Amino acid sequence: MIRADVTPHRRPTPLPALAALLTLLTVTAGLLWATPAAAAGVARAAGGPLRTAYSHVRTTVDGDVARTEVTQVFVNDLDTPVEVSFGFPLPADATVTGFAEWRDGRRVDAAATAKDAAEAAYDAAADRGERAALVGTEGDRFRMKLMAVPPRGSRRVALQYVQTLPALGGERTYVFPADDSTALPSLLDIEVRVGGDRPVLAAEAPNQPDARIDATAGDGRVVRLSRDREGLAHDLVVRWREPAEPLDLAVRAVGVPDGAGVVEARFAFNADPWPEIRAPRDVVIVLDASLSMAGAPLQRAVEAARKIVAGLDPADRFDVVLFSDSAAALGDDLMDADRANRALADAALDDLRARGRSDLQGALKLAGERLRDSQDGVLVLLTDGQPTASAGGDPFGLSVDLAAFARTRVVLGHFNYPGRDHDLRALFSDLQGRYVPDGPAGEAVVGELVALAVAPVIEDLSVEVDGAVFAVHGALPSRLPLGAHVRLVGRLDGPATVRVGGWLHGRRVDREVALDTPVADGRGDRGLQVEWARLRVAALQAEWQALDDDEPARAALANEIKDLGTRFSLATRFTSYVLTDSLAPDRIKPGDPEIRVHAPASAERVFAILPWGEVVEAAWADDEGLWLGRFLVPRGTPDGLYRARIFVVTQGESAYRGALFFRVDSQPPPFTLVVDREDGPVAGGDLLYVQAYPTEPRLGAEGTDRIDRDPLDLRRLTVRLGEQDYTLSRVGDAEVWEAWIPVDVPPGTHTLRMIATDWARNSVTAEAVVDVE
């Protein structure tokens, strides 16, 4: 039997600033070598993947914006130092907003800087043999290189990114892709908190029946999932519903101290207010049957195609284009969606098998020939977005006649990691994309694709923001189909009005919301400043890319992007992260928190994994006959009860032996001091009655059994009068402490000081004035 104990916890005490080894954390895209990367992040050395001791994902959703932090601890089990490559595929519309590393239990966050300077700093540190990291984004991927992980050592890193979530009819979805590697984490913890201005009506995690979903304050939801020695068998999909109007205009603004505020306007086409009106439409389904779609992706794509065809109205026209090594259409042109032609399409999908390469260009050519003259066309792409044939030397160098799709909506069912559809989104600027996850969650996405394929469209859409508003950014299409939304973010100096207009089924659509001048109220900006900066950087980078021959203009744009990346800590085309550790890290000292594990002395190794990912190695203590490890709590850790997991290694096998709990406490005990004396001074030599009790009662209202707080955490309670300390004693079971204090001080005015100290060594003082005759 193994028993694990922990000593009472206290906050680490900061040490004075000392000269320290200069360490650098920088970003680049050009020096990282590509490796197959798992969604949860895989660290690889030359000999293969490193062991992942701990993975933690924490996501906070506020309205349409999801902020995710992925923390990973990976361990080098070799006897030599290794250089590590780390990869993570970013979701669509995601921007890296931070990177951090832990040094001796202390989190050190990176700061953005110019990329060329960051690369030079990394190279110099690597040449000196110093610990360094090179971090950046490469298209849809986050990349990192660490120099170097010591033998039998570990590194803990954290990546932060922000993304905008799609919505359909008041339903939103967050996806964290499954880990496809063999290097599964020993421990995996995921937490997704969903909230915002509107209540969450219902939430589910359809792929993970063991996920726990709880309500939170403010009508939100929190989804928690923990796994030991196994990853996610399927993508983590969190789906929830919020109340929404069919034509929903939502506007919010926040004040910013010493600067212009930020306004966000979002107009969503959630439902058709006049569903009885339906115009005929032309639908072309392009389905990828290449080898990369083999298995579940092709099965789900065929399912989506069948349901789209089945949902067509007889007045509609359609065709189906299948492609692998080459592309072929079902009909010679668009066909009426009558029963016979729908049955023909169904039969063509019956025996479809994945094979060969991917001629996406040929398929788009056939689709364009059918939709060129359509006034209300819909192109449905069901693919993993990996063209490998008829595209020349560049697999994404597609030559597509976009004029053929001038009046066509493009709906994408994407069967690859979220975010790996950048090239298709660049080709079709108004594309409506849905990532189709694996597992049961994919079934609901198929339903969304069916709805989008036959969705009505708001024509001639306009969104105007009038008033003291400037630097407004965001895409504004002229046509908005059902399930899509428009989102604009700008700076605001005074009152403003947001107006939306357009035509739906020949009927006028008008919405309007007025805004007062936002005031900074101390509650923060809810991330809207970063959202504005992300959109502005995207617009500037697109403008920079379009200016091929104007070097002065490109230089001016690059400088502004660098400034935004530096101010808002964004990874951009021109900015990276650089980190220097100018202060000595905290050192573990006797008296810091201890983990004490009763395990055989013959064990090869005993270690604990703390909730924030740190691996604590224990050492055998002969004098106590147990394994002992010390650790620090990172600054900023919220107060509360935490769990650490204990592992014991014997004969090369690592076994989980249980958990221990400890409390992080930074608050002093709340106490009130009362001195019982008659009005006027007291005489020297008299006894003074002193009483102390908690400022906040523990029990609830009289006559109830409710407890409003934990049992009182008190180690010692003393009072000092003059140079003498006196200890107060508890009165029975009551939360009252008392003492009779001798007045052994000379005449005059004196201060009676109480000091209450808890087991975490937090203390509070209270004073009373005593006049002595």
Side-chain angles (χ1 to χ4, degrees):
M1 169 97 42
I2 291 179
R3 189 177 81 243
D5 304 304
V6 66
T7 59
H9 213 295
R10 70 179 176 87
R11 295 282 188 173
T13 304
L15 293 178
L18 301 174
L21 177 68
L22 181 65
T23 54
L24 300 168
L25 178 61
T26 60
V27 178
T28 187
L31 298 182
L32 296 177
W33 49 278
T35 59
V42 174
R44 294 180 180 271
L50 268 68
R51 177 166 59 86
T52 306
Y54 182 69
S55 292
H56 184 268
V57 181
R58 176 177 293 143
T59 299
T60 302
V61 179
D62 184 358
D64 295 330
V65 179
R67 296 172 180 84
T68 297
E69 178 166 297
V70 181
T71 302
Q72 297 238 286
V73 178
F74 32 82
V75 180
N76 175 19
D77 291 320
L78 303 176
D79 293 323
T80 57
V82 295
E83 188 171 32
V84 176
S85 174
F86 178 86
F88 186 93
L90 293 170
D93 188 44
T95 301
V96 175
T97 57
F99 186 82
E101 188 180 5
W102 273 254
R103 306 287 172 88
D104 295 326
R106 177 183 178 186
R107 177 180 177 128
V108 187
D109 288 283
T113 188
K115 184 171 291 186
D116 51 357
E119 292 176 355
Y122 174 82
D123 290 340
D127 290 342
R128 292 190 299 268
E130 297 175 358
R131 182 169 61 173
L134 188 65
V135 181
T137 54
E138 234 178 48
D140 64 346
R141 283 183 174 275
F142 166 84
R143 299 284 194 185
M144 179 184 68
K145 199 173 183 180
L146 295 178
M147 179 71 187
V149 179
R152 305 294 175 180
S154 65
R155 294 287 281 270
R156 178 187 178 196
V157 297
L159 160 71
Q160 299 166 348
Y161 63 87
V162 177
Q163 67 186 111
T164 305
L165 302 179
L168 180 61
E171 184 174 275
R172 287 174 171 80
T173 301
Y174 171 81
V175 178
F176 188 80
D179 189 337
D180 64 353
S181 79
T182 57
L184 297 178
S186 299
L187 297 171
L188 171 65
D189 288 324
I190 301 178
E191 178 182 284
V192 181
R193 288 187 172 271
V194 180
D197 295 327
R198 300 180 180 182
V200 178
L201 302 179
E204 63 173 346
N207 278 353
Q208 281 78 27
D210 56 331
R212 177 180 172 182
I213 303 177
D214 297 311
T216 63
D219 295 322
R221 295 290 190 276
V222 58
V223 180
R224 295 185 177 94
L225 180 68
S226 293
R227 296 280 173 85
D228 283 346
R229 299 191 173 278
E230 59 177 316
L232 293 172
H234 301 292
D235 301 331
L236 174 69
V237 176
V238 179
R239 186 176 294 121
W240 64 95
R241 288 190 299 107
E242 299 177 354
E245 296 294 326
L247 304 174
D248 195 357
L249 175 60
V251 180
R252 60 177 178 169
V254 295
V256 176
D258 303 322
V262 186
V263 58
E264 177 191 52
R266 181 183 183 278
F267 177 69
F269 187 2
N270 292 319
D272 190 348
W274 305 295
E276 69 280 1
I277 306 174
R278 187 183 188 283
R281 56 184 51 84
D282 299 330
V283 179
V284 175
I285 301 171
V286 174
L287 194 154
D288 185 351
S290 64
L291 194 58
S292 62
M293 288 282 288
L298 183 58
Q299 295 173 12
R300 191 137 282 169
V302 168
E303 177 190 0
R306 289 187 192 278
K307 291 184 175 181
I308 292 170
V309 171
L312 294 175
D313 189 90
D316 296 333
R317 299 186 300 170
F318 82 103
D319 201 355
V320 178
V321 177
L322 306 176
F323 70 96
S324 55
D325 284 320
S326 60
L330 183 63
D332 294 330
D333 204 340
L334 291 172
M335 306 178 294
D336 294 333
D338 54 31
R339 181 177 298 178
N341 286 332
R342 291 203 301 268
L344 182 66
D346 205 48
L349 297 171
D350 275 341
D351 298 320
L352 196 60
R353 297 290 183 271
R355 61 183 179 84
R357 303 174 71 195
S358 174
D359 186 9
L360 178 56
Q361 179 170 303
L364 292 176
K365 180 180 178 182
L366 290 174
E369 291 171 356
R370 283 149 180 76
L371 293 169
R372 180 178 296 276
D373 298 325
S374 176
Q375 295 302 305
D376 190 6
V378 180
L379 170 62
V380 180
L381 285 172
L382 304 174
T383 178
D384 60 3
Q386 299 186 50
T388 55
S390 298
D394 179 3
F396 288 105
L398 298 172
S399 177
V400 178
D401 182 9
L402 295 179
F405 302 99
R407 296 290 297 175
T408 295
R409 289 191 297 113
V410 181
V411 176
L412 171 65
H414 196 239
F415 298 84
N416 205 326
Y417 280 129
R420 294 188 180 175
D421 56 359
H422 291 294
D423 298 279
L424 290 172
R425 289 182 180 275
L427 191 63
F428 301 106
S429 57
D430 293 341
L431 178 147
Q432 280 184 282
R434 290 292 187 272
Y435 165 62
V436 185
D438 58 1
E443 298 173 6
V445 179
V446 168
E448 293 180 17
L449 292 173
V450 174
L452 293 173
V454 295
V457 178
I458 296 176
E459 304 284 352
D460 299 325
L461 178 72
S462 65
V463 180
E464 300 175 356
V465 186
D466 296 329
V469 180
F470 60 96
V472 178
H473 295 283
L476 182 58
S478 60
R479 309 174 78 227
L480 190 71
L482 178 68
H485 71 272
V486 173
R487 180 168 174 264
L488 303 177
V489 182
R491 306 311 295 254
L492 181 66
D493 260 341
T497 302
V498 180
R499 298 183 181 89
V500 175
W503 296 88
L504 176 62
H505 303 311
R507 299 184 179 184
R508 183 66 185 171
V509 172
D510 289 296
R511 294 292 186 273
E512 181 176 310
V513 172
L515 282 171
D516 294 328
T517 304
V519 178
D521 55 9
R523 292 182 297 177
D525 64 5
R526 299 179 64 177
L528 284 186
Q529 284 200 92
V530 171
E531 285 302 291
W532 171 82
R534 287 206 308 139
L535 292 175
R536 181 157 183 81
V537 166
L540 293 172
Q541 288 186 157
E543 188 177 350
W544 178 90
Q545 200 161 1
L547 294 173
D548 290 333
D549 302 323
D550 192 342
E551 287 303 323
R554 283 166 66 96
L557 292 171
N559 287 335
E560 184 174 355
I561 294 171
K562 289 178 184 178
D563 178 65
L564 289 167
T566 301
R567 281 196 293 140
F568 294 98
S569 186
L570 303 176
T572 72
R573 181 186 294 269
F574 302 106
T575 55
S576 305
Y577 295 109
V578 61
L579 177 66
T580 59
D581 192 4
S582 58
L583 297 177
D586 294 334
R587 300 300 180 191
I588 297 175
K589 307 174 292 298
D592 281 320
E594 294 178 344
I595 292 176
R596 309 164 73 85
V597 181
H598 294 266
S602 58
E604 298 169 18
R605 181 187 178 204
V606 176
F607 65 96
I609 298 181
L610 302 182
W612 43 87
E614 181 182 352
V615 178
V616 178
E617 296 287 350
W620 177 255
D622 279 325
D623 55 339
E624 297 190 54
L626 49 75
W627 292 80
L628 178 65
R630 290 190 175 95
F631 64 98
L632 294 172
V633 176
R635 290 182 177 88
T637 301
D639 286 3
L641 193 65
Y642 291 84
R643 176 181 64 175
R645 297 175 174 91
I646 306 299
F647 293 83
V648 177
V649 180
T650 55
Q651 297 181 354
E653 296 288 332
S654 178
Y656 173 59
R657 294 299 184 90
L660 61 85
F661 294 87
F662 60 92
R663 181 177 294 280
V664 175
D665 177 16
S666 65
Q667 300 301 317
F671 263 83
T672 298
L673 174 67
V674 176
V675 179
D676 186 11
R677 66 178 186 272
E678 297 180 357
D679 293 339
V682 296
D686 284 353
L687 293 176
L688 190 65
Y689 181 67
V690 177
Q691 188 182 73
Y693 57 86
T695 304
E696 301 172 357
R698 189 167 86 89
L699 299 179
E702 186 176 354
T704 71
D705 292 328
R706 190 181 83 246
I707 295 177
D708 287 342
R709 61 173 171 79
D710 291 340
L712 189 68
D713 175 17
L714 181 68
R715 183 184 183 189
R716 190 181 183 199
L717 187 61
T718 61
V719 293
R720 166 170 288 200
L721 183 62
E723 299 297 324
Q724 188 66 40
D725 292 332
Y726 303 93
T727 301
L728 278 68
S729 301
R730 188 168 183 173
V731 181
D733 293 331
E735 289 192 342
V736 177
W737 282 255
E738 65 178 7
W740 288 93
I741 306 299
V743 182
D744 189 14
V745 290
T749 299
H750 298 270
T751 298
L752 180 70
R753 175 171 297 164
M754 177 201 72
I755 303 176
T757 305
D758 64 16
W759 287 101
R761 301 186 184 179
N762 303 302
S763 63
V764 65
T765 62
E767 296 180 349
V769 174
V770 178
D771 291 324
V772 180
E773 293 180 330

